[in-house]
Amino acid sequence: MNKKEQQKAQRAREEDIILTKVLWWILGAVVLEAVLLLLNKVYVNFTTEQIYLAVALQGMFKVLAIVLPICFVALLIWTLLFWKSGRSLRLPGVLTGIALVLAVCAVVIDCFYDKGISFLYVAVPAVAVLALIYYLYQREFFFAAVLSALGLLGVKVAPQAAGAPQVGYGYLAVLAVILVAAAVCFRLLQSHKGVWSVKGKARAILSKSANYAMLYVTCALVAAVVIAALVLGALAVLYGVLVAWLLILAVYYTVRLM
């Protein structure tokens, strides 16, 4: 086998690995969405015969909202120990990711009940789509898509800040920190040609040809739209702006793949 054939075989193996990961993400999203539909039926819109089951589920979620975050922290520590020792992160990484997803779902359902389940209806497929973008597109598109998704949620949450200040203003404060941190990180990556160094080990986060202007515009656009939502309310046009920007990004990065 010559060098060209070896490269072709290696690329085929990498594509198979990516396809397997994508399929696992899709399967996980479908299963979780099915569980949410079942919960909506027996936990939210329960019948008289199901009232005892609904009460039992309520108690269960109160326990899971505490236990699962603790499990996530424990698994995260385990993953960090593996990372420091240079061992494979596949098993601890997968278990930590699953624990994180389940912990978030349990906390959201326990805190917000039917609204939490309605939110997860949208959040689960959205996360699955972001995973597809991560594996199939350039890394900078993934970052821009994540920030835009957080902006769409901000448009929904911002007008409710007056009625629920802890949730509304809390989310807006977190989003502001994320946008500022993202802009700073993008600037550092730009100055180091997409390479991030940790303890002397350099790792390429973005490609040398990454278009940082798109990332900066995304940060500024998300901030402007969320501020507008805080002042004007959740207008449909504000959702439309971010959705249109995501479509522009999708077309731009799809062309770059060709």
Side-chain angles (χ1 to χ4, degrees):
M1 183 181 292
N2 57 37
K3 186 176 180 180
K4 187 175 181 180
E5 291 176 340
Q6 290 177 346
Q7 291 177 345
K8 186 176 181 180
Q10 177 65 23
R11 183 175 180 181
R13 284 193 295 268
E14 292 176 353
E15 290 176 349
D16 289 340
I17 292 172
I18 292 174
L19 178 60
T20 301
K21 291 179 178 179
V22 168
L23 292 176
W24 276 113
W25 274 98
I26 294 174
L27 177 61
V30 170
V31 171
L32 192 52
E33 198 76 10
V35 172
L36 291 172
L37 289 171
L38 181 61
L39 284 174
N40 185 65
K41 183 177 180 180
V42 301
Y43 184 48
V44 178
N45 301 313
F46 55 87
T47 62
T48 306
E49 294 79 9
Q50 297 170 332
I51 188 169
Y52 293 106
L53 177 59
V55 172
L57 288 172
Q58 184 180 29
M60 182 189 73
F61 279 115
K62 287 187 179 299
V63 174
L64 291 178
I66 299 174
V67 173
L68 287 176
I70 294 175
C71 291
F72 164 68
V73 173
L75 288 169
L76 180 60
I77 294 173
W78 183 40
T79 303
L80 292 175
L81 292 175
F82 268 57
W83 176 66
K84 288 184 178 180
S85 63
R87 300 166 66 181
S88 174
L89 299 179
R90 179 174 297 178
L91 178 60
V94 170
L95 293 177
T96 302
I98 293 173
L100 175 60
V101 172
L102 294 178
V104 170
C105 290
V107 171
V108 169
I109 293 173
D110 180 53
C111 293
F112 301 103
Y113 188 49
D114 58 331
K115 291 183 179 179
I117 293 178
S118 298
F119 166 74
L120 292 174
Y121 279 155
V122 180
V124 169
V127 171
V129 170
L130 290 175
L132 297 182
I133 292 174
Y134 177 82
Y135 288 115
L136 301 178
Y137 281 84
Q138 300 92 334
R139 196 71 57 82
E140 58 263 33
F141 182 26
F142 169 73
F143 290 138
V146 169
L147 293 174
S148 298
L150 293 175
L152 287 170
L153 180 57
V155 174
K156 176 69 174 179
V157 172
Q160 303 174 7
Q166 291 182 341
V167 176
Y169 290 116
Y171 178 79
L172 294 179
V174 171
L175 180 59
V177 172
I178 290 174
L179 290 175
V180 172
V184 172
C185 290
F186 294 151
R187 184 67 187 90
L188 291 174
L189 287 171
Q190 185 177 14
S191 62
H192 293 86
K193 297 182 179 180
V195 176
W196 191 279
S197 297
V198 179
K199 294 184 178 181
K201 296 182 179 179
R203 182 176 180 180
I205 304 298
L206 296 177
S207 64
K208 294 181 180 180
S209 61
N211 189 338
Y212 291 92
M214 292 295 224
L215 297 174
Y216 296 136
V217 170
T218 300
C219 291
L221 185 62
V222 169
V225 168
V226 173
I227 291 172
L230 183 62
V231 176
L232 303 175
L235 300 177
V237 66
L238 297 178
Y239 290 106
V241 169
L242 289 178
V243 171
W245 178 244
L246 277 172
L247 292 175
I248 292 171
L249 291 173
V251 172
Y252 173 74
Y253 285 107
T254 300
V255 172
R256 287 188 61 183
L257 284 175
M258 298 177 180

